[in-house]
Amino acid sequence: NTTAGVTLPAAITSSTKAATYYVNSETGNDGQSGTSPAKAWQTLNRVNAQIFSPGDKILFRAGTRYSGQLKPQGSGSLLASIVIGKYGRGPLPRIDGEGHVLDTVLLRNVEFCDVNDLEITNLGEKREPWRTGVRVVTDAFGVMRHIHLHNLFVHDVNGSLSKSDEGCGIYFESR
């Protein structure tokens, strides 16, 4: 494909249509398509099972709450990031690891991903090594590009206070 005399890789010029997926813990159903508010998914498990493509959006209903881990799969592209955020008016959607997961939001080996407008917590019964609210990690992946975190309210994450295995709200790691 050529645009203004510049040859673009097929991945950038693909005509695959991006989708918007909706998630509503109160009225959603994981058996639905997720492609409209009326057909929203209900759980993080359903979101985590999907492999997302460049330009896709994953939108959580304002004011809803989710327990567990958000671990999106798939990467965006230079021209079309994957966007995770909220839809509707009201408080930020809350994703709560409840201390049952090491990372409430885990971005592992993904790139070109924007995460916006979420409340994120991970408070367990006691402090645990490496517990985080958001972990961005490359694991034998190479260079990870364009991870943007905007308007996140990350709080009540009780990871270890030891520097050798500390937990924190947002943690970037390259292995």
Side-chain angles (χ1 to χ4, degrees):
N1 293 323
T2 304
T3 302
V6 177
T7 301
L8 299 174
I12 292 177
T13 61
S14 171
S15 63
T16 304
K17 183 174 169 137
T20 300
Y21 297 95
Y22 298 86
V23 189
N24 186 328
S25 63
E26 297 170 356
T27 63
N29 179 329
D30 287 346
Q32 298 182 120
S33 67
T35 56
S36 75
K39 295 180 179 181
W41 293 333
Q42 185 175 33
T43 67
L44 295 174
N45 286 339
R46 179 60 186 94
V47 175
N48 295 342
Q50 183 75 26
I51 297 175
F52 297 100
S53 298
D56 283 354
K57 294 180 183 175
I58 306 141
L59 303 178
F60 294 87
R61 174 79 180 148
T64 54
R65 184 170 189 260
Y66 306 84
S67 295
Q69 182 181 63
L70 174 61
K71 184 182 175 184
Q73 298 183 74
S75 289
S77 70
L78 184 63
L79 298 178
S81 294
I82 292 173
V83 175
I84 300 170
K86 79 169 189 168
Y87 73 98
R89 297 177 63 108
L92 298 176
R94 179 176 173 150
I95 302 177
D96 190 346
E98 298 177 336
H100 300 297
V101 296
L102 190 60
D103 313 297
T104 301
V105 176
L106 177 59
L107 302 176
R108 178 184 299 277
N109 294 346
V110 299
E111 58 184 351
F112 297 103
C113 185
D114 297 345
V115 183
N116 312 295
D117 303 318
L118 298 174
E119 179 181 0
I120 299 165
T121 67
N122 198 1
L123 184 64
E125 290 183 20
K126 61 180 182 149
R127 293 188 179 282
E128 291 293 334
W130 302 112
R131 182 179 289 148
T132 69
V134 178
R135 182 180 304 261
V136 179
V137 61
T138 62
D139 195 359
F141 182 76
V143 176
M144 180 186 286
R145 300 169 292 168
H146 189 102
I147 300 294
H148 291 184
L149 309 175
H150 302 276
N151 195 32
L152 301 181
F153 178 36
V154 181
H155 63 95
D156 292 326
V157 177
N158 62 339
S160 171
L161 296 177
S162 169
K163 284 294 183 189
S164 62
D165 59 3
E166 69 183 326
C168 58
I170 300 174
Y171 189 76
F172 289 82
E173 178 180 18
S174 179
R175 301 181 192 170

